[in-house]
């Protein structure tokens, strides 16, 4: 089965052997306060920074999911409120969780085809955290580097947090332009679910210490203190950390991967523009995601396509949220091979012939 689902998505085939290695090397029962773990964790932190182009002075943390990162950030970096700019389901969910913990948190919804409207945002002075989703997996849109730069320049005194779950480890993100970046690993990392990586600027850690919130097992200050010794507050997903180390060791630098994904996205968008039954959901090229393509059609067309694809051992991603029935999605993630996209194209050409 060729899997184009945008998460959980295809894992690197090498993971199969790494699983056995993890067993043989004793990682599955190693204590998380012991040397073997600490060495793994230290090496991994260095590797993540080098391979993903994360500034040297940023801090790396491990959590179990992007959803957990949403919660950690609200708990530990806001007392009053956060401000969420969103155009799709994941960004909106983050806002909803924030409002449960900090009812004054605010949201600003923008249109699917518009760039993030940085100049229109009204962020009150008591806002402690600005949040947005770099790549909205639900509808296949992205916030461009220019918009991120503008946001950074306009709100220099406020911490900015970015959900980059479906782009981190795929795109060469300019991490220096925001304080917090996070992603779970079942998307561009090509790993099984159950682990997330979070990168934080020194300024974010400074604020966390100032707030001194320690009411949770995953409070940021506690995570920071443990990570000074490359440890976690609780027993982490050691297996997945091991897998991540092995996978990252074999990967090219993020700049190379970004170039490849960008070219492949262009090729795929051009390819899918030729069919009359299906349209690209996002009309504005500038805000189209490079890592998740969303295609739109009537419910009947979409349903039929997905079924026929499955019949040919091709799994297309379902639509999500309000777009669940009239769209399908195609992941453009690093672990998926060019030949698999050729197979996908052959299927569509044959199907519409
Ligand atoms: C998949 C996804 C999430 C949720 O990830 P979990 O690991 O299930 O918490 C959050 N945000 C975005 C943008 C996603 O694509």
């Amino acid at each position: 089965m060729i899997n184009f689902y945008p998460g959980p998505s295809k894992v690197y085939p090498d993971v199969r052997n790494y699983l056995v290695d993890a067993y043989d090397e004793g990682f599955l029962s190693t204590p998380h306060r012991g040397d073997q773990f600490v060495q793994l964790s230290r090496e991994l932190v260095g590797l993540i920074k080098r391979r993903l182009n994360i500034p040297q002075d940023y801090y790396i943390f491990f959590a179990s999911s992007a959803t957990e990162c949403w919660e950690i950030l609200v708990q530990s970096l806001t007392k009053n409120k956060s401000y969420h700019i969103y155009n799709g389901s994941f960004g909106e969910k983050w806002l909803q969780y924030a409002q449960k913990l900090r009812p004054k948190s605010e949201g600003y919804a923008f249109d699917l085809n518009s760039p993030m409207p940085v100049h229109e945002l009204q962020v009150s002075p008591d806002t402690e955290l600005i949040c947005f989703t770099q790549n909205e997996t639900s509808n296949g849109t992205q916030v461009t580097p220019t918009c991120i730069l503008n946001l950074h320049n306009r709100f220099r005194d406020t911490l900015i947090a970015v959900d980059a779950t479906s782009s981190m480890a795929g795109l060469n993100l300019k991490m220096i332009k925001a304080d917090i970046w996070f992603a779970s690993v079942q998307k561009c990392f090509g790993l099984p679910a159950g682990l997330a990586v979070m990168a934080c600027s020194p300024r974010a850690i400074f604020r966390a210490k100032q707030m001194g919130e320690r009411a949770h097992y995953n409070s940021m200050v506690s995570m920071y203190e443990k990570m000074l010794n490359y440890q976690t507050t609780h027993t982490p997903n050691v297996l997945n950390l091991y897998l991540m180390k092995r996978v990252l060791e074999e990967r090219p630098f993020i700049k190379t991967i970004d170039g490849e994904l960008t070219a492949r996205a262009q090729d795929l968008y051009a390819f899918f523009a030729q069919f009359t039954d299906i349209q690209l959901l996002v009309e504005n090229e500038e805000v189209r995601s490079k890592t998740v393509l969303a295609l739109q059609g009537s419910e009947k067309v979409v349903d039929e396509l997905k079924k026929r694809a499955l019949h040919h051992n091709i799994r297309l991603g379902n639509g999500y949220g309000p777009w669940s029935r009239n769209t399908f999605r195609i992941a453009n993630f690093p672990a998926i091979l060019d030949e698999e996209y050729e197979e996908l194209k052959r299927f569509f050409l044959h199907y519409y012939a």
Side-chain angles (χ1 to χ4, degrees):
M1 180 72 69
I2 311 183
N3 187 9
F4 295 100
Y5 220 99
S9 52
K10 183 188 175 188
V11 299
Y12 282 103
D14 291 337
V15 163
R16 191 170 188 273
N17 295 329
Y18 299 157
L19 286 166
V20 177
D21 291 348
Y23 180 91
D24 289 346
E25 292 172 31
F27 277 101
L28 300 192
S29 40
T30 201
H32 64 295
R33 304 279 174 233
D35 287 346
Q36 192 185 20
F37 175 78
V38 169
Q39 198 179 328
L40 167 72
S41 176
R42 186 192 299 119
E43 282 174 18
L44 181 56
V45 165
L47 198 55
I48 290 171
K49 286 190 189 176
R50 285 195 304 279
R51 284 289 195 269
L52 304 187
N53 215 0
I54 298 174
Q56 259 314 317
D57 61 350
Y58 274 44
Y59 296 83
I60 302 294
F61 300 104
F62 301 117
S64 39
S65 66
T67 306
E68 190 190 7
C69 295
W70 292 344
E71 191 180 79
I72 292 169
L73 297 172
V74 172
Q75 279 171 185
S76 294
L77 292 175
T78 72
K79 280 199 163 85
N80 198 35
K81 66 180 177 192
S82 47
Y83 185 91
H84 300 251
I85 315 150
Y86 64 94
N87 74 353
S89 301
F90 287 104
E92 188 177 17
K93 266 195 207 173
W94 189 2
L95 166 67
Q96 287 163 352
Y97 278 113
Q99 284 175 330
K100 284 180 198 178
L101 294 171
R102 307 285 184 261
K104 283 191 254 166
S105 293
E106 293 168 292
Y108 186 102
F110 64 102
D111 185 75
L112 181 82
N113 280 303
S114 310
M116 188 165 76
V118 175
H119 55 281
E120 284 171 23
L121 306 174
Q122 309 267 349
V123 180
S124 61
D126 56 347
T127 299
E128 293 144 318
L129 188 66
I130 295 174
C131 306
F132 72 93
T133 307
Q134 193 277 325
N135 194 76
E136 181 49 79
T137 320
S138 67
N139 58 24
T141 57
Q142 67 154 344
V143 176
T144 61
T146 311
C147 278
I148 299 175
L149 179 66
N150 291 342
L151 189 73
H152 168 80
N153 286 336
R154 196 174 154 205
F155 300 104
R156 282 194 176 262
D157 295 334
T158 314
L159 291 179
I160 299 178
V162 190
D163 180 343
T165 298
S166 52
S167 54
M168 195 170 170
L171 302 183
N172 186 16
L173 301 160
K174 293 217 171 55
M175 305 263 175
I176 197 86
K177 302 299 175 203
D179 294 281
I180 300 119
W181 298 80
F182 59 88
S184 35
V185 301
Q186 71 273 21
K187 317 243 166 128
C188 286
F189 283 87
L191 289 165
L195 179 66
V197 177
M198 183 158 67
C200 298
S201 69
R203 187 170 84 143
I205 300 304
F206 183 80
R207 293 281 171 88
K209 285 190 202 161
Q210 260 184 339
M211 290 210 176
E213 185 278 310
R214 289 172 181 277
H216 305 90
Y217 78 92
N218 54 10
S219 295
M220 215 159 163
V221 184
S222 316
M223 292 175 78
Y224 161 78
E225 285 171 356
K226 282 280 183 260
M227 230 17 202
L228 290 174
N229 296 317
Y230 298 98
Q231 294 185 20
T232 48
T233 58
H234 57 289
T235 321
N237 188 339
V238 182
L239 172 60
N240 221 337
L241 292 170
Y242 175 87
L243 297 175
M244 185 188 287
K245 175 175 167 265
R246 294 294 303 271
V247 161
L248 286 181
E249 276 170 348
E250 294 303 316
R251 263 173 154 237
F253 287 110
I254 193 67
K255 214 174 155 190
T256 311
I257 294 178
D258 182 313
E260 288 165 1
L261 291 187
T262 303
R264 197 159 70 184
Q266 274 171 357
D267 177 70
L268 288 169
Y269 279 120
F271 176 82
F272 283 109
Q274 69 181 295
F275 305 108
T276 45
D277 265 13
I278 48 176
Q279 298 86 38
L280 305 177
L281 174 65
V282 184
E283 286 163 42
N284 180 358
E285 278 181 44
E286 188 191 330
V287 301
R288 273 183 201 151
S289 165
K290 294 179 178 183
T291 51
V292 179
L293 282 77
L295 295 144
Q296 191 176 31
S298 70
E299 288 186 18
K300 188 163 168 288
V301 163
V302 169
D303 199 51
E304 190 64 25
L305 247 175
K306 285 191 299 194
K307 277 194 200 136
R308 285 287 288 279
L310 269 183
H311 206 71
H312 285 78
N313 282 322
I314 292 174
R315 174 169 290 126
L316 301 170
N318 288 335
Y320 198 97
W323 301 278
S324 62
R325 297 186 64 88
N326 67 338
T327 66
F328 61 97
R329 294 173 300 158
I330 296 169
N332 181 27
F333 291 166
I336 309 174
L337 302 172
D338 287 345
E339 353 175 330
E340 295 178 304
Y341 290 96
E342 292 310 314
E343 183 73 30
L344 178 74
K345 287 184 187 169
R346 276 195 294 277
F347 164 76
F348 273 92
L349 289 175
H350 182 75
Y351 186 77
Y352 281 116

